[in-house]
Amino acid sequence: MRLLKVATCNLNQWAMDFDCNLNNIKESITQAKQAGAVIRLGPELEITGYGCEDHFLELDTINHGWECLKEILVGDWTDGILCSIGMPVIKGSERYNCQILCFNRKIIMIRPKMWLANDGNYRELRWFTAWKHKDQLVDFQLPSEIAEAVLQQSVPFGYGYLRFLDTAVAAEVCEELFTPIPPHAELALNGVEVFMNASGSHHQLRKLDVRLRAFIGATHTRGGVYMYSNQQGCDGGRLYYDGCSCVVVNGEVVAQGSQFSLRDIEVVTAQVDLDAVASLRGSISSFQEQASYKNTISSVLVPYKLCQPFNMQMSLSSPLKINYHSPEEEIAFGPGCWLWDYLRRSGASGFLLPLSGGADSSSVAAIVGCMCQLVVKEIENGDEQVKADAIRIGNYTDGQFPTDSKEFAKRIFYTVFMGSENSSKDTKKRAKDLADEIGSWHLDVSIDGVVSALLTLFQTLTGKRPRYKVDGGSNIENLGLQNIQARIRMVLAFMLASLLPWVHNKPGFYLVLGSSNVDEGLRGYLTKYDCSSADINPIGSISKQDLRAFLRWAAVHLGYSSLAEIEAAPPTAELEPIRSNYSQLDEVDMGMTYEELSVYGRLRKIFRCGPVSMFKNLCYRWGSRSSPLEVADKVKHFFKYYSINRHKMTVMTPSYHAEVFHCKSGTSNHNCNLKKLVFPCLCAELFT
């Protein structure tokens, strides 16, 4: 037997925070060595953080990366352990996304990324160049300060692998795994047994299975040990990197880290038998045949043994049942961890949420409540960093710290019900009940006086006073009166967020939370600069259908029972007067159901459907319940409002990314005005 102990990790790296990132890297190496590992894999671009964006173009970013690497190399961090460390490197005039392979205080090889992620949320080609010379390793002259520190002038640079005396190890960087012909296929034929994948992969609902299937498939038919490392946390943008570092051996997961966590460092180890890899490969005839005439890949000899022989005192890691979260759990934990990172990094003292008692704002409140529960649980588990952050944010003194999630919520979470004459007693009660269950500091404010003052001012200026539609007013008057209420709530929310900490003798300010969902954003069913305009929005890319399922789950699993009643209530903006014969409903106002909106959004983005393609798809989907003419009317109605409301997307609150069809994830291939004018003609043509 050739026993090998490997370690991979989830690290919460902050973009451009070199000191914090370096400390996390050092601590993860320390933990890996303490566990007996001889290979340590870290996330992609872990020294700088993955989300530096245009800061990657600054020479300072590159230089600081080398300074951090130097500190690692001159210490004893890499003694006896192969470390794969991610950072940007400039070679000549090109900038590369690289894995630096270090061992015994030396750089063994620099492996540049060959296939860059450049779709969806990724823009790597904006900052980096793909390495295109697969047939050779070239010499890279180290910066003078590094060369002097490690007594090494140059290192091999390019696509290749490391040949130790008892095994072969190679890097495969993130996106490369998902290409049509991934590097690990030919590396395996060259005898590589251990693959190290450093990644910067973000969370997306129901995405984890796709990722894990790729790791399993990489080693199921060709054998091997596949190590995966990922960032975990938010580094300042819309994305939450969802960890789940793991080790896969011959198509079976033997170690898996957490997907959602408040911890900054999580090291995952596995003890594997490389003879099991050799045995599997020897049993596959096609593998043997293809390996016999393989394309030879360059390698670097490392005259050192990594493996240990058979030892009764060592136990092998056994296959695990893969841990998947339900979509409802993902909505709770992903945005909850994302909010915690924003809170502790922004300098804010808490959150303020306009809580209407409806499904969307209640979902946000429940997510904040979940965040508070996670903080208390992590403190109970002994995480000193979470404890220190919670003490600072919650303004605890005299050695106190959070021990109860409701008490912690009272310190860091304001909820405000901003009622008007159009608000019902039911929604007011639901907001109060939920606030009590979560523990937030809840306020009840009437905005009628401010609305009346503005209308009086308007009447003084124009000599006219607008009326609601139910009272005989026009559509313009009706919409204007609704917008006044909505925008007053935004102004009031930001005023309270900045001044309430002062009122209660607390330091700092509060971040205002938005609560519009992805369906309403796609349709444009929101008032520009209303309560959807906030500092951040944890549900802005989550569909109404998923939010309702989350509310049902949270009512039971988070202990907020009032959410069941909130979920069962019909969605309404409550911006128009309630009459015995009229009650405002969202789906009636929009002219489409939330279920239909979710379908439109997925077809538009995920399946890349323009108006005509969407019409044809929906004729098949809805043909049993709607005629082609009815389907065409629905599609035209959606694209009409999708087109004319694009201006609202330019000012949408930064939202947690949870779905591919987020209304700000990419742009449509169709000119909005052209769609509006041409599509009715196209549909008419279909029926002539």
Side-chain angles (χ1 to χ4, degrees):
M1 301 181 77
R2 289 177 295 145
L3 301 180
L4 182 72
K5 190 72 171 284
V6 299
T8 182
C9 54
N10 297 330
L11 296 185
N12 194 334
Q13 304 298 79
W14 300 14
M16 303 297 291
D17 190 345
F18 294 93
D19 289 339
C20 172
N21 295 347
L22 179 60
N23 290 335
N24 287 348
I25 293 169
K26 287 179 177 179
E27 178 59 27
S28 69
I29 295 174
T30 298
Q31 292 184 25
K33 293 173 76 171
Q34 289 174 348
V38 292
I39 298 178
R40 177 268 180 196
L41 171 65
E44 184 176 11
L45 296 167
E46 60 182 314
I47 286 182
T48 59
Y50 184 84
C52 296
E53 299 185 350
D54 281 2
H55 291 292
F56 282 127
L57 305 179
E58 300 168 4
L59 290 179
D60 282 358
T61 304
I62 308 298
N63 294 335
H64 293 329
W66 282 113
E67 290 167 359
C68 292
L69 184 65
K70 173 185 172 182
E71 189 168 331
I72 294 171
L73 289 171
V74 298
D76 62 356
W77 309 102
T78 62
D79 288 356
I81 186 169
L82 173 65
C83 293
S84 180
I85 300 171
M87 60 175 273
V89 173
I90 292 179
K91 183 183 185 301
S93 59
E94 304 95 44
R95 184 179 287 98
Y96 294 100
N97 175 350
C98 296
Q99 288 301 118
I100 315 295
L101 306 182
C102 307
F103 185 69
N104 283 346
R105 309 191 188 196
K106 300 288 184 182
I107 300 175
I108 307 301
M109 188 175 85
I110 298 178
R111 165 67 155 82
K113 192 171 182 178
M114 298 187 297
W115 306 107
L116 301 178
N118 207 57
D119 51 18
N121 289 295
Y122 296 103
R123 296 289 183 272
E124 290 185 15
L125 277 172
R126 180 182 175 97
W127 310 300
F128 301 110
T129 299
W131 180 253
K132 302 175 180 67
H133 308 286
K134 293 184 60 178
D135 56 343
Q136 61 179 330
L137 288 170
V138 299
D139 271 350
F140 175 81
Q141 297 298 314
L142 291 172
S144 57
E145 289 187 4
I146 302 296
E148 293 172 6
V150 300
L151 303 177
Q152 187 179 4
Q153 295 300 313
S154 65
V155 297
F157 185 102
Y159 175 49
Y161 63 94
L162 304 182
R163 285 187 296 118
F164 287 85
L165 297 179
D166 50 3
T167 189
V169 183
E172 182 172 68
V173 189
C174 195
E175 177 73 10
E176 294 175 349
L177 168 65
F178 301 97
T179 56
I181 306 177
H184 68 257
E186 59 180 355
L187 287 166
L189 296 176
N190 276 263
V192 173
E193 295 177 312
V194 181
F195 306 94
M196 304 181 296
N197 188 311
S199 181
S201 187
H202 63 78
H203 173 240
Q204 200 164 281
L205 290 176
R206 307 171 181 89
K207 174 187 172 185
L208 180 60
D209 182 55
V210 175
R211 197 187 302 163
L212 285 172
R213 281 204 310 266
F215 308 146
I216 292 169
T219 60
H220 178 71
T221 58
R222 57 183 66 89
V225 176
Y226 205 95
M227 302 169 60
Y228 171 77
S229 177
N230 193 17
Q231 294 197 173
Q232 186 171 64
C234 165
D235 65 355
R238 295 188 299 113
L239 306 182
Y240 177 82
Y241 303 97
D242 61 336
C244 205
S245 294
C246 61
V247 180
V248 179
V249 179
N250 291 350
E252 295 185 300
V253 177
V254 299
Q256 180 184 0
S258 64
Q259 186 177 10
F260 307 107
S261 174
L262 302 185
R263 285 175 286 176
D264 284 342
I265 304 162
E266 180 182 3
V267 176
V268 178
T269 61
Q271 183 104 275
V272 300
D273 175 18
L274 293 184
D275 278 356
V277 175
S279 176
L280 176 62
R281 290 177 175 178
S283 69
I284 303 173
S285 176
S286 59
F287 184 92
Q288 298 288 303
E289 291 297 319
Q290 291 185 2
S292 68
Y293 64 93
K294 61 186 175 291
N295 293 323
T296 301
I297 299 173
S298 301
S299 62
V300 176
L301 176 64
V302 186
Y304 190 89
K305 288 186 177 181
L306 293 179
C307 301
Q308 296 188 38
F310 174 75
N311 187 335
M312 288 291 293
Q313 304 302 315
M314 298 180 180
S315 59
L316 292 177
S317 299
S318 302
L320 304 174
K321 180 181 179 181
I322 299 174
N323 180 35
Y324 291 112
H325 288 288
S326 68
E328 293 78 20
E329 290 174 325
E330 291 184 83
I331 292 172
F333 302 142
C337 293
W338 183 78
L339 286 176
W340 177 246
D341 275 345
Y342 255 109
L343 182 58
R344 67 192 185 114
R345 296 176 189 182
S346 65
S349 302
F351 297 118
L352 183 138
L353 171 68
L355 182 58
S356 69
D360 293 338
S361 61
S362 297
S363 294
V364 174
I367 289 169
V368 176
C370 177
M371 182 202 78
C372 294
Q373 293 182 17
L374 290 173
V375 168
V376 171
K377 181 179 179 181
E378 206 58 54
I379 292 174
E380 291 174 350
N381 292 336
D383 193 305
E384 291 300 321
Q385 184 60 58
V386 174
K387 182 178 179 180
D389 288 333
I391 289 173
R392 172 178 55 82
I393 295 167
N395 200 27
Y396 287 89
T397 57
D398 301 326
Q400 295 181 321
F401 57 88
T403 57
D404 177 78
S405 63
K406 292 182 69 172
E407 187 274 335
F408 185 53
K410 179 72 75 173
R411 288 174 175 262
I412 60 101
F413 189 30
Y414 285 115
T415 52
V416 188
F417 180 80
M418 303 185 204
S420 73
E421 60 183 1
N422 301 322
S423 304
S424 68
K425 294 180 180 179
D426 291 336
T427 53
K428 179 178 179 178
K429 180 179 182 300
R430 290 176 197 136
K432 178 66 166 62
D433 290 345
L434 178 59
D436 289 343
E437 290 174 344
I438 294 171
S440 66
W441 191 297
H442 187 66
L443 301 173
D444 183 353
V445 180
S446 173
I447 64 171
D448 287 334
V450 185
V451 172
S452 178
L454 285 173
L455 290 176
T456 299
L457 174 62
F458 180 83
Q459 187 173 13
T460 301
L461 289 172
T462 66
K464 292 188 175 183
R465 193 176 185 93
R467 295 178 297 168
Y468 289 102
K469 192 172 182 179
V470 294
D471 296 327
S474 65
N475 285 331
I476 293 176
E477 294 172 76
N478 196 60
L479 185 59
L481 287 170
Q482 293 182 69
N483 288 344
I484 290 171
Q485 299 169 69
R487 288 175 175 140
I488 285 171
R489 287 173 172 141
M490 183 204 73
V491 174
L492 182 58
F494 276 97
M495 183 184 76
L496 293 173
S498 62
L499 291 177
L500 280 177
W502 166 70
V503 171
H504 293 134
N505 296 315
K506 295 181 179 180
F509 61 96
Y510 275 37
L511 290 170
V512 178
L513 298 180
S515 58
S516 59
N517 60 64
V518 68
D519 301 324
E520 292 166 350
L522 285 169
R523 164 62 171 72
Y525 182 65
L526 53 97
T527 300
K528 201 173 184 179
Y529 305 119
D530 68 348
C531 283
S532 63
S533 296
D535 289 311
I536 51 176
N537 180 358
I539 66 166
S541 67
I542 303 176
S543 72
K544 192 78 161 189
Q545 299 294 101
D546 281 337
L547 287 175
R548 295 187 70 170
F550 164 70
L551 290 174
R552 293 191 294 270
W553 175 89
V556 177
H557 294 89
L558 295 182
Y560 307 143
S561 59
S562 63
L563 292 175
E565 182 183 348
I566 291 170
E567 188 277 330
T572 173
E574 290 195 337
L575 293 171
E576 296 182 63
I578 300 172
R579 298 286 188 266
S580 59
N581 61 345
Y582 178 77
S583 180
Q584 185 180 22
L585 297 174
D586 288 355
E587 293 183 334
V588 174
D589 281 355
M590 291 190 297
M592 59 190 75
T593 66
Y594 281 107
E595 182 181 1
E596 289 172 341
L597 257 177
S598 184
V599 172
Y600 298 146
R602 292 178 186 278
L603 286 175
R604 180 197 70 89
K605 183 64 180 178
I606 300 175
F607 297 96
R608 297 163 294 280
C609 287
V612 176
S613 297
M614 185 180 292
F615 162 75
K616 292 176 179 178
N617 272 274
L618 291 177
C619 280
Y620 287 111
R621 291 192 182 206
W622 295 346
S624 60
R625 71 187 196 196
S626 301
S627 69
L629 186 58
E630 290 172 330
V631 172
D633 286 341
K634 287 176 179 287
V635 174
K636 284 189 284 186
H637 187 66
F638 166 70
F639 271 105
K640 172 187 175 181
Y641 285 98
Y642 168 75
S643 300
I644 65 177
N645 286 317
R646 288 306 84 200
H647 64 96
K648 295 183 180 181
M649 295 304 98
T650 63
V651 295
M652 286 291 285
T653 298
S655 302
Y656 180 94
H657 176 85
E659 286 281 11
V660 173
F661 66 98
H662 188 292
C663 47
K664 294 188 77 173
S665 58
T667 57
S668 174
N669 292 326
H670 301 269
N671 177 277
C672 292
N673 292 327
L674 190 62
K675 275 188 300 190
K676 184 173 64 173
L677 294 171
V678 173
F679 182 53
C681 301
L682 292 173
C683 279
E685 187 177 313
L686 290 170
F687 302 114
T688 57

